[in-house]
Amino acid sequence: MIPHSRPTIDSEDIEAVTDVIKSGQIAQGLKVQEFEGVVSSYIGVKGAVAVSSGTAALHLSLLCLGVKHGDEVIIPSYTCPALLNAVYYVGAIPRLADIDARSYNIDPNFVEDYLRRKRAKAIIIVHTFGEPVDIDAFLELSKRYSIPVIEDCAQALGATFRGRRIGGFGLISILSFYATKLITTGEGGMLLSDTDDFLEKARDLREYDKKKVFQLRYNYKMTDMASALGLSQFKKLPSFLKRREEIAMTYNVALGKSYEKEGRIYYRYILGSPHAEQLIGLMEKDGISCRRPVFKPLHHYTGEKGFPQTEMAWERSISIPIYPSLTDREVQKITDSLVRLCPEGFPNGSGR
């Protein structure tokens, strides 16, 4: 079975983690600081705070911005529940937004329509599947309505917008280093910012021990073991991104698709079909694991309606394997199966 996702771990990664274990310093320490410095320099921001997950980074981001009980936070419906959890963690109210049909990203027009009528405390924009959001539009909304923007770059490390790496546009940005992300620390995340106050507050809140004054804090630390893996993985990020792009271009040619945009990276490769669920099952029988790219949109959890583009994307979209350790033979098997099972091809647009 060709898995839908698979981490790319080599002997250098294993050696890096082994060295930390042998050193005896396995919890948060100098490796964490080194990892924070490397990633923040790459993104082009002042600093970073490594934490235990992307969800933890989102939670701390909202706390840094002063989001509290009863505040409203705008998030896309077509995303994983991590955002919903983070909003609920601080007692805020999630206000879901529909997506742009072509990019799968949060629709700025939908958001502006909401902001004309009501106020919100923050917007979380997700660079979905590696394609940058229309950042100019959201920075304009941020200025016009005095609302801060948090960039969720969990699926887009290395992507750029107008020549700058994403993650440096919002007041705060976050990354995830889960096992199937662009680089991995097993579990892990990171908050990044140019604002000293946010960085200081996030560092204070991520650990609760040895504090002069008690307040609610968290056990959100990243370990040196995880950071050692992250540092080793980060060295290979350019080759990881290049291999993902090579596979995507192979898919484009084989499937007759155009799936390119300046600045994007290929975290996921998405196909659209009116028979998505059936195709996933047929690919499974061929020994290829495909998935819905989003298990369930958030409005299905909250019981809301009024998100037609999200609904269409969810019904029609299929995510096929794309990751650096995918072999040429596996890529060929995937394309052969898709061409045989869907001789009519795949449309561009929502569920490309």
Side-chain angles (χ1 to χ4, degrees), residues 27 46-47 50 53 59-60 174 178 197 236 246 254 270 325 341:
K46 184 174 289 187
S53 69
H59 182 198
L60 293 182
I174 71 97
Y178 178 64
D197 287 348
K236 296 182 278 282
E246 289 171 352
I270 312 300
S325 59
L341 292 170

Side-chain angles (χ1 to χ4, degrees), residues 4 244-245 247-248 251 266-269 320-324 326:
H4 174 254
R244 286 176 175 273
E245 184 174 9
I247 296 168
Y251 287 156
Y266 294 90
Y267 175 67
R268 292 280 185 245
Y269 193 96
I320 66 175
I322 182 168
Y323 41 84
L326 203 61

Side-chain angles (χ1 to χ4, degrees), residues 29 59 111 153 164 175 183 220-221 237:
H59 182 198
V111 173
C153 309
R164 286 176 55 194
L175 293 167
I183 63 171
Y220 281 168
K221 300 186 298 295
L237 179 62

